[in-house]
Amino acid sequence: MKIFSGESNRPLAQKIAKELKTSLSDIEIHVFPDEEKRIRILANVAGQDCIVIQSTSMNSDKNYMELFFITDALKRSGANSITAVIPYLGYQRQDHVFRPGEAVSLEVIIETLEAVGINRIIAFDLHSARIAGSFHIETIELSALSLFARRIVENGWNDGNTVLVSPDMGGRRRIKAVSEMLDDMPYVLIEKNRDLSTGKVTAQAIQGKVLPRAIIIDDMISSGKTIATAVKLLKKNGAKEVFVFATHPVFSRDSKYILQQSGAKKIFVTDTINIPQNKRFRKLEILSVAQKTAEELKKVIGY
Ligand code: R5P
């Protein structure tokens, strides 16, 4: 078995390799002045089961292209199989037509991932239940939710004063799963609306009873507007302190300031996406998905 990393999330790739008691194999990624890339595999991969770790977060297009080229180079070098660990699957929110005339970007991405010769995909917390089933190759969805439940217990927040919160109705499946992991901890659902033209987020109502400690669970934070709006509404409805757990720190644009200034006490995310120093902020804590990923790789590759 050989493990390679693209450039999007080397820190996670290194941690996964360490968990597997190995190191990353050599690859040369040359960037031309016009930003095109030349990929060259330097390790001997003939007959080997290969793993490529690449998060397809910002800049998604660039990171996807790199993954496609690494896959092609591995195939041409005689790899036996290619497992792509895509901790954050970019374009997953565009999984159907929201308004007439739109592209279904995720479908194009899936077709390309399959066409370049990837045999298996491993990804974390997909945006909707139907995404894994849209692939024709083996697709394994791992989840950070158990890491969140464990941290909630470690922090003693399972003391009867806590309510779990889904910041939108689409998160019902997720919030129910966490509630079950925590002996049916109560949960509430927020009725959120996002204007698709302006991006403006509004939250009208909460279904259920808010308790003094509220813990928001979400799959990703991008602009931070969903979290900021949810925290405000929860506080208005009686929450004294609000914590946030989200798997993917997409952290676009001004999210750092929006999140730091939100009334949330602490924001937990994972390392499915590498967060550069300039996007980090005081309230942020990062949990690692490396061990979970390595355990799954041991199972599927038989390492
Ligand atoms: C929405 O359906 C997702 O689960 C997230 O709540 C959303 O993508 C977060 O986006 P933002 O941080 O831009 O509000």
Side-chain angles (χ1 to χ4, degrees), residues 157-163 186 210-214:
W157 292 334
N158 54 343
D159 57 359
N161 292 316
T162 305
V163 67
V210 176
L211 296 176
R213 184 186 302 112

Side-chain angles (χ1 to χ4, degrees), residues 60-274:
S60 316
D61 301 352
K62 195 170 119 217
N63 290 329
Y64 266 121
M65 291 309 281
E66 198 176 282
L67 174 60
F68 300 152
F69 298 148
I70 295 173
T71 304
D72 186 66
L74 285 171
K75 259 180 42 189
R76 289 174 194 278
S77 306
N80 179 50
S81 72
I82 300 164
T83 297
V85 177
I86 312 179
Y88 172 73
L89 185 78
Y91 283 108
Q92 57 180 299
R93 281 170 291 180
Q94 195 64 39
D95 62 346
H96 65 275
V97 172
F98 292 87
R99 294 171 300 178
E102 289 180 349
V104 182
S105 315
L106 183 65
E107 220 168 276
V108 178
I109 293 291
I110 291 175
E111 280 167 14
T112 316
L113 287 168
E114 293 176 351
V116 290
I118 290 169
N119 304 95
R120 179 190 292 118
I121 305 269
I122 298 180
F124 272 85
D125 287 322
L126 296 168
H127 186 58
S128 75
R130 65 175 161 256
I131 294 177
S134 307
F135 283 86
H136 303 96
I137 51 175
E138 185 187 359
T139 302
I140 300 168
E141 180 182 1
L142 299 179
S143 177
L145 296 182
S146 59
L147 299 180
F148 299 165
R150 195 191 310 155
R151 178 51 73 95
I152 289 169
V153 173
E154 282 166 4
N155 286 5
W157 292 334
N158 54 343
D159 57 359
N161 292 316
T162 305
V163 67
L164 300 171
V165 181
S166 172
D168 52 43
M169 304 304 280
R172 188 190 294 264
R173 161 181 81 117
R174 216 169 292 126
I175 208 73
K176 276 176 94 170
V178 181
S179 163
E180 276 165 27
M181 288 174 201
L182 294 166
D183 298 325
D184 293 324
M185 186 177 273
Y187 64 86
V188 296
L189 303 165
I190 292 182
E191 292 172 25
K192 171 186 108 175
N193 183 48
R194 186 192 301 269
D195 184 312
L196 289 180
S197 315
T198 62
K200 191 170 186 293
V201 174
T202 46
Q204 288 88 0
I206 301 180
Q207 293 184 7
K209 183 173 178 283
V210 176
L211 296 176
R213 184 186 302 112
I215 300 182
I216 301 174
I217 311 275
D218 210 350
D219 58 340
M220 67 181 83
I221 302 175
S222 182
S223 66
K225 288 180 193 167
T226 297
I227 296 303
T229 310
V231 173
K232 217 164 156 188
L233 188 66
L234 287 163
K235 291 211 163 171
K236 210 168 127 195
N237 281 269
K240 298 279 171 271
E241 52 179 9
V242 182
F243 296 92
V244 178
F245 286 84
T247 305
H248 308 295
V250 177
F251 288 1
S252 53
R253 295 197 187 149
D254 296 334
S255 58
K256 170 179 170 173
Y257 305 102
I258 294 176
L259 294 168
Q260 182 60 34
Q261 280 159 22
S262 75
K265 226 169 170 179
K266 194 147 196 180
I267 297 175
F268 298 85
V269 294
T270 78
D271 55 358
T272 56
I273 295 172
N274 184 39

